[in-house]
Amino acid sequence: MAKKTSIHICAAKYGAEKHNRREKEMKHVHPEYSNLNKSWEAEDFKSVADEIRKAKERYSSHHFCRKAKLDENGKQLTTLAYDKKTVDPIVDPKTGLQKVVPEWELDLSKPKKMPKNAEPVREGVAVITENTTMEQMKTLANQIEQRWDIKTKAIYAHLDEGHEHLVTDKDHQQGKYLDSAEGSTIFLWNHHAHYVFDWTDHETGQCINLNRHDMSELQDMLANTLKMERGKKSDKKWRDAHTFKAEQEAIRAKEVAEYTERKKAEVKQIQKNIEASNSKLTKLQEAIDELLSATSVPEEELEAVPFAEMTFSFQGSKEPLTVKDLINMTLSRLDREISTPIPILKREEWQKERNAKAKEIVTTLQSQLLSVSKLHKKKINDVGKKMYLDVKRKIALAAKTDKENMALRQRISELDERAVVREKAKTQIAEQKAREQTMRAEKAEKQVEESVKRLSMMERFISQAGATEAFVNWSNLYGLVEEAAKALVTWALSKKLVFTNKDERTIGQGIVAKCQLEGLNPSDENNRQKAAKGIADIADSIVGEISQFKWDIALRRMDQLASEMSMSDNNCLLIKGSTSKRGLG
């Protein structure tokens, strides 16, 4: 759906330029995107207060108080009274004569002050998109000046405001945010532009008046110039920004509360359905037990052992085993492989052999679990077959009437289906546990790879210098990397908007240290970006619960820091726009 545009005009407030120029902090502003904002100011524009002062001076230069007009003797002059509209003489009904009124003249020594309710400087807030250009906004300003002689003193396009929105079922019913799942949180941008207008006639000093037709024409002019769809006319009363935001926050809070209550009601209904189903299952189990008591198949043969508890043995061995034993044996083999001492020579061959062994162990476990699963399914089918054959024989002997036969067949059918469903559910749970154990094995393999990677780093350092000195140097550098990752996590979880000097030093040192560990040149921006990504991966593993929006901001800020960093001739870390300078050897 195309975004609709509109513009609202109101009196400009003193100090409005502080908000427009981003000279003060606001909760709904995201400063990490403020670099996308656009602005234009006239050469003579300083502030809204200065424009109001100039408008008042113009008004006073054109409007003065009046005083009585006197003759040579100092007596006030009079003149005959006439109606201003019809120019007819005004007659006094008591005397029947034309009225006489005193004459007045302007007192140039007493200029008038502009009325308190006048709005000489006004501000217009227009809805735009992130693709709206400053040329389009200037074109609109020129058209307004040509049409109504209203001059634009400044334009500010804000692309850094927005808020988070909880997607509810009502949004989907209204056709909104269909690409986002119900219950998820999305971010809605509020792209708009502030126009500061000089709303006075410089020849008379008075404010310019626009009627409803003029304002409608202005809305049309805005849509045509910005190439956007025009907003629909509304009879709603306009509120100022703070009132509107407060109302929207109240509406969003109410929607979240209603959404939560609906979900609670759904949960209660699901709980009632579960209780009702449990009651039905209990009655069904009683019926099944009653039916099974009439069979001649031994009870131990009718009981299907759970997948995780089923016993089996390897070919050529009589020792009984379970799935748990298989997993423990696999983990033991992996532990033995991991604990094998690392050889000094041929480490790459050792690493490849270690990875191949771990993969072989996990593959063997998967094959064994598949075989056990097939055996378990076969046993379940055998139990079902025995039950079916025995019950069928009993039905043939016990059936006396067609009615009794139909009732028994119905109960047998339900018995077969429920038994198979229960055993399948148990099988799925066991398979899920097996998959979890496999994931643990894969995690252990990743840990081995990380250890090998660290050892390869140490080996490179040892080849460059003595073993003791190299190990100490490697430990210091790796410690700087870990401190940088922790500093990034701490900043992301805080409410800070920008890095402190300490944060810049810690993270900057970690980036340079990561470059040295990886054999990269820290003077090259691309290498610093690679090192920053490595630190971000370490931080991601320890950050815990955090919103994706806040984490993206932290990563973007670190990328900016990596781009702004530079290395001086004496191998010192320098950060543009900061006083941070600290040697890193």
Side-chain angles (χ1 to χ4, degrees):
M1 183 182 294
K3 189 175 183 180
K4 296 182 180 180
T5 184
S6 62
I7 185 171
H8 176 78
I9 309 296
C10 62
K13 297 181 179 179
Y14 286 91
E17 65 279 353
K18 291 184 179 180
H19 165 80
N20 295 333
R21 294 170 180 168
R22 291 295 184 254
E23 294 177 354
K24 64 177 182 179
E25 295 184 2
M26 288 154 287
K27 293 182 178 179
H28 61 282
V29 172
H30 302 276
E32 63 275 11
Y33 296 102
S34 295
N35 61 310
L36 303 177
N37 292 346
K38 309 167 188 175
S39 63
W40 170 85
E41 294 180 352
E43 294 180 358
D44 60 341
F45 178 76
K46 296 180 180 179
S47 64
V48 172
D50 184 62
E51 292 297 322
I52 294 176
R53 178 189 59 80
K54 290 189 289 186
K56 289 181 177 179
E57 291 178 354
R58 283 194 298 271
Y59 183 87
S60 298
S61 65
H62 290 84
H63 298 81
F64 301 90
C65 297
R66 65 177 185 174
K67 62 180 179 179
K69 194 173 183 179
L70 306 178
D71 58 11
E72 297 177 352
N73 299 324
K75 185 178 180 181
Q76 185 175 2
L77 298 176
T78 59
T79 184
L80 297 175
Y82 293 91
D83 188 287
K84 292 182 179 180
K85 293 183 178 179
T86 62
V87 197
D88 295 333
I90 300 176
V91 179
D92 187 348
K94 293 182 179 179
T95 62
L97 301 176
Q98 186 176 359
K99 282 187 176 182
V100 177
V101 294
E103 291 189 23
W104 303 91
E105 62 181 353
L106 295 178
D107 187 355
L108 300 180
S109 64
K110 294 182 180 180
K112 279 187 177 181
K113 292 184 179 180
M114 180 177 283
K116 292 183 178 180
N117 60 350
E119 298 175 355
V121 179
R122 304 187 186 184
E123 187 174 10
V125 181
V127 178
I128 62 174
T129 68
E130 58 182 355
N131 298 321
T132 302
T133 63
M134 182 56 69
E135 286 70 21
Q136 290 176 315
M137 291 184 280
K138 287 183 179 179
T139 300
L140 175 64
N142 293 333
Q143 292 177 354
I144 293 174
E145 183 172 2
Q146 293 174 5
R147 176 66 177 85
W148 295 289
D149 199 24
I150 296 174
K151 297 176 177 58
T152 302
K153 307 302 292 185
I155 303 173
Y156 305 94
H158 291 164
L159 305 178
D160 56 356
E161 297 185 25
H163 66 276
E164 292 183 344
H165 175 75
L166 175 67
V167 179
T168 64
D169 48 356
K170 285 188 175 181
D171 290 328
H172 286 181
Q173 292 173 5
Q174 296 173 1
K176 298 180 179 178
Y177 320 123
L178 298 178
D179 295 336
S180 302
E182 178 185 337
S184 62
T185 301
I186 61 176
F187 193 82
L188 301 180
W189 289 105
N190 176 24
H191 296 151
H192 60 278
H194 292 259
Y195 281 78
V196 179
F197 295 113
D198 176 3
W199 208 272
T200 60
D201 186 341
H202 286 210
E203 294 183 359
T204 63
Q206 294 180 323
C207 294
I208 298 173
N209 292 322
L210 299 186
N211 55 32
R212 292 178 59 88
H213 298 290
D214 293 328
M215 296 305 298
S216 179
E217 182 181 347
L218 176 58
Q219 300 288 351
D220 295 335
M221 189 183 297
L222 172 71
N224 294 333
T225 305
L226 301 187
K227 307 299 182 183
M228 296 174 64
E229 184 178 350
R230 187 193 190 281
K232 294 182 179 179
K233 296 181 180 179
S234 174
D235 56 356
K236 293 182 179 179
K237 185 179 179 181
W238 186 87
R239 287 88 66 208
D240 62 85
H242 296 289
T243 304
F244 177 76
K245 288 170 184 174
E247 291 178 358
Q248 291 301 309
E249 287 295 334
I251 292 172
R252 283 195 289 270
K254 183 179 179 181
E255 290 177 350
V256 171
E258 292 177 352
Y259 177 76
T260 304
E261 290 299 324
R262 287 198 300 275
K263 291 304 173 185
K264 286 182 179 179
E266 292 178 6
V267 170
K268 289 182 180 179
Q269 185 61 40
I270 292 173
Q271 291 176 345
K272 290 181 180 179
N273 294 340
I274 291 174
E275 292 175 359
S277 300
N278 288 337
S279 177
K280 292 180 181 179
L281 287 173
T282 301
K283 294 180 181 178
L284 181 60
Q285 186 63 47
E286 292 175 356
I288 291 173
D289 294 340
E290 181 183 352
L291 181 61
L292 289 176
S293 63
T295 66
S296 60
V297 180
E299 184 176 351
E300 57 273 11
E301 295 185 13
L302 292 175
E303 185 175 344
V305 180
F307 179 76
E309 300 175 4
M310 189 186 72
T311 58
F312 57 90
S313 59
F314 289 137
Q315 188 173 2
S317 174
K318 295 183 179 181
E319 181 183 358
L321 299 172
T322 64
V323 173
K324 185 177 180 181
D325 294 332
L326 273 182
I327 294 172
N328 290 336
M329 290 167 62
T330 301
L331 293 176
S332 178
R333 291 181 64 188
L334 287 171
D335 290 338
R336 285 199 300 272
E337 289 295 329
I338 293 172
S339 61
T340 303
I342 302 172
I344 298 176
L345 301 176
K346 299 182 178 180
R347 294 191 175 187
E348 293 183 359
E349 296 178 5
W350 171 84
Q351 180 182 355
K352 292 180 181 179
E353 183 180 357
R354 174 71 60 83
N355 293 339
K357 278 285 187 182
K359 186 175 181 180
E360 179 184 354
I361 291 171
V362 175
T363 304
T364 302
L365 174 63
Q366 293 174 343
S367 302
Q368 291 172 343
L369 290 176
L370 182 60
S371 300
V372 174
S373 176
K374 291 181 179 178
L375 180 62
H376 187 252
K377 289 179 180 178
K378 184 176 181 303
K379 287 191 175 183
I380 292 176
N381 291 333
D382 291 341
V383 171
K385 186 175 181 180
K386 289 180 181 179
M387 292 172 61
Y388 176 74
L389 294 175
D390 183 76
V391 174
K392 184 178 179 180
R393 182 173 59 83
K394 287 296 182 181
I395 290 174
L397 295 174
K400 295 181 181 180
T401 61
D402 293 339
K403 184 177 180 180
E404 291 176 341
N405 278 330
M406 291 297 296
L408 286 173
R409 285 177 182 174
Q410 181 65 27
R411 295 177 69 186
I412 292 168
S413 175
E414 294 177 355
L415 169 63
D416 288 341
E417 292 176 0
R418 296 295 182 183
V420 172
V421 168
R422 285 200 305 272
E423 294 306 321
K424 283 185 176 180
K426 293 178 181 179
T427 303
Q428 291 175 354
I429 293 173
E431 290 177 348
Q432 176 64 26
K433 291 182 179 179
R435 285 193 293 270
E436 292 175 356
Q437 295 297 335
T438 303
M439 291 175 63
R440 287 179 56 190
E442 292 176 351
K443 186 175 181 181
E445 183 179 359
K446 289 182 179 179
Q447 292 176 350
V448 172
E449 292 178 355
E450 180 65 22
S451 299
V452 172
K453 185 177 179 180
R454 290 192 185 184
L455 288 173
S456 64
M457 291 181 185
M458 289 181 61
E459 184 179 20
R460 189 177 72 252
F461 275 84
I462 291 173
S463 64
Q464 295 173 356
T468 302
E469 181 183 357
F471 179 77
V472 172
N473 191 18
W474 179 88
S475 300
N476 291 337
L477 291 175
Y478 201 83
L480 290 174
V481 173
E482 290 182 336
E483 288 298 323
K486 292 177 182 178
L488 180 63
V489 170
T490 302
W491 185 87
L493 296 175
S494 69
K495 296 182 179 180
K496 297 179 181 178
L497 299 178
V498 295
F499 285 159
T500 63
N501 289 341
K502 183 179 179 182
D503 293 335
E504 290 182 345
R505 286 197 301 272
T506 304
I507 297 175
Q509 290 171 357
I511 292 173
V512 176
K514 187 68 173 175
C515 288
Q516 294 185 1
L517 286 172
E518 300 289 347
L520 303 173
N521 180 10
S523 299
D524 182 78
E525 181 178 348
N526 292 331
N527 290 339
R528 294 198 301 272
Q529 292 289 352
K530 291 180 182 177
K533 186 178 184 301
I535 294 175
D537 293 338
I538 297 174
D540 189 39
S541 64
I542 62 175
V543 69
E545 295 184 359
I546 187 173
S547 68
Q548 188 63 39
F549 179 75
K550 292 183 66 178
W551 187 239
D552 288 342
I553 292 175
L555 296 183
R556 180 168 180 174
R557 184 67 189 92
M558 187 173 68
D559 288 341
Q560 292 175 349
L561 178 63
S563 298
E564 295 171 357
M565 288 170 49
S566 63
M567 299 298 295
S568 65
D569 295 336
N570 58 353
N571 199 26
C572 288
L573 170 64
L574 300 175
I575 301 174
K576 298 176 184 177
S578 172
T579 59
S580 301
K581 179 176 181 181
R582 184 173 180 179
L584 186 69

